[in-house]
Amino acid sequence: MKSKKTDKLSTDYKKKLRPSDFGIPEERDYPMPDAAHVRAAESYFRYASDEKKPGLAHRILLKARKYGVNVESDTVIEWAGKYKK
């Protein structure tokens, strides 16, 4: 459950999310269970390590499409182009 005062997810709620709900699943970082958190992941993208950015950017774009979010960051779009499966 989200806190009423912020968009921050509670620890219990975050534990229940699937790995696919995270921008960096192996670290369970950058949760994106809804449109608001996709926007948050986009805005905090710059803090990810360069090693993690291609995968994170790719997942941001996937979740953005799912939730109807318009990704405005050219940086995120550029890094997503560097993603290799």
Side-chain angles (χ1 to χ4, degrees):
M1 166 179 274
K2 290 193 278 184
S3 168
K4 291 182 181 184
K5 293 183 181 179
T6 69
D7 283 338
K8 186 171 172 115
L9 300 175
S10 72
T11 302
D12 287 338
Y13 183 79
K14 199 171 169 183
K15 285 180 183 178
K16 294 176 185 175
L17 294 175
R18 299 169 302 198
S20 63
D21 288 326
F22 291 89
I24 303 176
E26 60 277 9
E27 296 175 12
R28 295 186 67 82
D29 210 0
Y30 294 86
M32 295 183 283
D34 54 38
H37 285 88
V38 172
R39 289 184 200 96
E42 180 183 2
S43 69
Y44 287 105
F45 178 81
R46 66 183 172 270
Y47 297 112
S49 69
D50 284 354
E51 175 185 300
K52 303 288 183 181
K53 282 182 178 178
L56 173 57
H58 173 75
R59 290 180 197 93
I60 288 172
L61 294 181
L62 290 175
K63 290 292 185 174
R65 190 175 310 130
K66 177 179 179 178
Y67 295 117
V69 174
N70 182 30
V71 174
E72 298 177 5
S73 171
D74 291 335
T75 303
V76 170
I77 294 166
E78 282 179 41
W79 277 98
K82 298 175 184 181
Y83 176 72
K84 293 180 175 51
K85 292 182 183 180

